[in-house]
Amino acid sequence: MKLRPLHDRVIVKRLENETKTASGIVIPDNAAEKPDQGEVLAVGPGKRNDKGDFVALNVKVGDRVLFGKYSGQTVKVDGDELLVMREEDLFAVIEK
């Protein structure tokens, strides 16, 4: 199933956190925090300004982004858990 977000929304897939600390301690799944990083899978066309023109979003497909732990709405698509959120809910793009 393909998703096409509307307006200024983006679809993000969470990136998995490390399950082992730097010292080698394994963190069980139920004690691990939700990851706050993800990869942008789809981007909406943008938000309309006062004149009715679209203002393009600052993120693009493939960007790695930071967001709040409880940001966005979780949806399941083809067995994958994805987040749908507004661009303003994103904190930063992770540069390579």
Side-chain angles (χ1 to χ4, degrees):
M1 175 186 311
K2 288 193 172 204
L3 295 177
R4 182 176 50 92
L6 302 175
H7 307 292
D8 64 335
R9 289 185 174 82
V10 296
I11 297 177
V12 177
K13 182 174 182 175
R14 285 188 196 267
L15 297 176
E16 296 300 320
N17 273 350
E18 293 293 322
T19 56
K20 199 182 280 192
T21 64
S23 60
I25 299 172
V26 176
I27 302 170
D29 287 340
N30 59 356
E33 293 184 11
K34 286 185 175 182
D36 54 0
Q37 292 184 25
E39 180 181 353
V40 177
L41 299 180
V43 177
K47 200 172 192 173
R48 290 195 184 266
N49 62 14
D50 296 335
K51 296 178 183 177
D53 300 325
F54 276 108
V55 177
L57 301 181
N58 292 318
V59 296
K60 59 187 180 304
V61 174
D63 281 349
R64 290 179 65 140
V65 293
L66 290 176
F67 50 87
K69 290 184 192 295
Y70 304 106
S71 295
Q73 179 67 38
T74 304
V75 294
K76 279 204 169 203
V77 178
D78 296 334
D80 290 329
E81 193 172 287
L82 305 175
L83 291 168
V84 179
M85 62 181 73
R86 292 188 179 274
E87 184 188 33
E88 64 193 27
D89 294 336
L90 300 174
F91 297 148
V93 175
I94 301 170
E95 300 289 336
K96 294 178 183 178

